[in-house]
Amino acid sequence: MTSFLKMQCETRSELANECLIPWYIIGVTAIICAATLVLIAFLGPIGQEIIQYRTSQSGIWQITGQDLTNLVLIAPILLIGGILCLARRAGSKYLLILTPITLMYTGLSIGIGQEWSNSAYSGNVENYWWLFGILVIGGLILLLGSLSMFSEADAPDFKPRGLRIYVGLMIVFFLLFAVMWISQIQQVTNTGDLPDGSYKAAPTAFWTIRYLDLGISIPLGFLALSLMLSKPKKAYSILLLFFGFFITIGTAVDMMAIVQVLSGDIEVVKEGLFIFPILTLFSYGGFFYLIKDKIRRGVQ
């Protein structure tokens, strides 16, 4: 019993020393972000429909998929991670690091990606700008806070041979993802629309997502894969951050596709029905690979 209490004290002391941002701020921020995601879902299309988004019907279905993912995956991760952080448990960092980039991505994509200049879309989403602002600011706090919780000592031993195979497969699918978006951009610049008419229905959302993915998501993917091969121990926390983003945003995209297909919006998502689920599956596999030693120690 004495040794257990000593270990708990050491764990809590270690967490306090590692945090760039005070542990209580990180924990409270995570809980606030979780509550914000639940509130957005409650006020949105799967709840009371109080928030009226200025976007196409396809865009509404995508927001529905995002809200469902927030409720069943991201908000619980933030809530549990925040509570564990307030209890000063070092294991909280493995949950909190999953969420920062996705929180910022979600806040920016929804906040910026509305069809503000199109009079055909009415709505009141601008009245709730502060909710999406909380996600961006909270994501930034959790980004700095969760990264600083890790050290090189947390990194497991990596087997180069298995990594090369995995990285090679991931590169193929990231390239397919990039080619898909670039080909759509070329179609828009050449013809003024996409074959399904989705560009003219929501051009702001189109450009917002393409810029975020081609400027952030895909480069992060290639950067993470490069670090995974070259400096996995030194970049361990960054790898966890990137793969956390891939599995949370990937799950959200897959949920969006499910909602769209069930709603008959198949044409918009058919190109990604093959790529996105596989990328998400590989991302879960990569994250499990990064933390498998921690899981084994926990079981033991």
Side-chain angles (χ1 to χ4, degrees):
M1 184 66 178
T2 304
S3 61
F4 174 77
L5 291 174
K6 182 179 178 182
M7 182 180 68
Q8 288 294 95
C9 291
E10 288 174 351
T11 299
R12 294 179 180 183
S13 176
E14 177 188 357
L15 178 61
N17 291 334
E18 287 178 353
C19 293
L20 187 64
I21 295 174
W23 55 270
Y24 50 88
I25 293 180
I26 298 172
V28 170
T29 298
I31 294 172
I32 290 173
C33 287
T36 302
L37 290 176
V38 173
L39 181 58
I40 290 172
F42 175 77
L43 297 175
I46 65 172
Q48 299 299 304
E49 297 185 328
I50 295 173
I51 299 179
Q52 300 294 319
Y53 293 96
R54 297 178 182 272
T55 189
S56 64
Q57 182 58 61
S58 180
I60 297 295
W61 287 327
Q62 291 175 53
I63 291 171
T64 298
Q66 177 72 67
D67 285 346
L68 288 170
T69 305
N70 291 339
L71 285 177
V72 302
L73 179 65
I74 301 176
I77 288 173
L78 286 165
L79 180 60
I80 297 171
I83 292 172
L84 290 176
C85 187
L86 290 178
R88 302 177 72 176
R89 301 295 180 87
S92 63
K93 60 191 178 184
Y94 292 97
L95 292 173
L96 296 178
I97 204 161
L98 298 173
T99 61
I101 302 180
T102 298
L103 287 173
M104 291 187 286
Y105 185 104
T106 301
L108 289 171
S109 62
I110 295 180
I112 296 173
Q114 305 296 310
E115 304 306 318
W116 301 108
S117 61
N118 192 335
S119 59
Y121 297 120
S122 60
N124 63 359
V125 64
E126 61 273 17
N127 295 333
Y128 301 91
W129 65 269
W130 52 277
L131 288 173
F132 306 107
I134 287 174
L135 298 183
V136 177
I137 297 169
L140 181 60
I141 293 172
L142 293 176
L143 174 67
L144 297 176
S146 60
L147 276 176
S148 65
M149 292 179 179
F150 290 89
S151 67
E152 289 188 39
D154 292 313
D157 293 324
F158 295 93
K159 297 180 180 179
R161 182 177 179 183
L163 276 180
R164 292 191 191 99
I165 297 173
Y166 171 81
V167 168
L169 291 172
M170 280 288 283
I171 286 175
V172 170
F173 284 98
F174 270 117
L175 285 173
L176 289 174
F177 181 19
V179 168
M180 181 178 70
W181 268 186
I182 292 171
S183 67
Q184 288 188 0
I185 290 174
Q186 288 178 331
Q187 288 181 56
V188 167
T189 55
N190 291 335
T191 66
D193 202 356
L194 294 172
D196 55 28
S198 60
Y199 174 76
K200 285 188 175 179
T204 305
F206 174 90
W207 286 111
T208 299
I209 297 302
R210 272 55 179 187
Y211 269 109
L212 287 175
D213 283 344
L214 290 172
I216 297 176
S217 303
I218 294 172
L220 280 181
F222 287 122
L223 181 58
L225 295 174
S226 173
L227 291 173
M228 206 170 189
L229 283 180
S230 60
K231 299 177 181 178
K233 282 186 172 290
K234 190 170 184 179
Y236 184 62
S237 60
I238 298 176
L239 289 174
L240 289 173
L241 177 72
F242 291 172
F243 276 92
F245 170 59
F246 301 148
I247 65 175
T248 49
I249 201 68
T251 302
V253 171
D254 293 338
M255 185 65 75
M256 291 177 196
I258 291 171
V259 173
Q260 288 176 272
V261 170
L262 293 177
S263 303
D265 195 24
I266 300 176
E267 287 299 314
V268 176
V269 298
K270 65 180 182 180
E271 288 185 86
L273 287 177
F274 170 70
I275 296 173
F276 292 133
I278 293 178
L279 271 176
T280 305
L281 183 63
F282 271 99
S283 297
Y284 272 98
F287 185 76
F288 175 77
Y289 179 81
L290 291 171
I291 64 168
K292 66 182 188 304
D293 289 349
K294 308 298 178 182
I295 296 175
R296 289 171 183 168
R297 291 175 189 174
V299 172
Q300 293 171 356

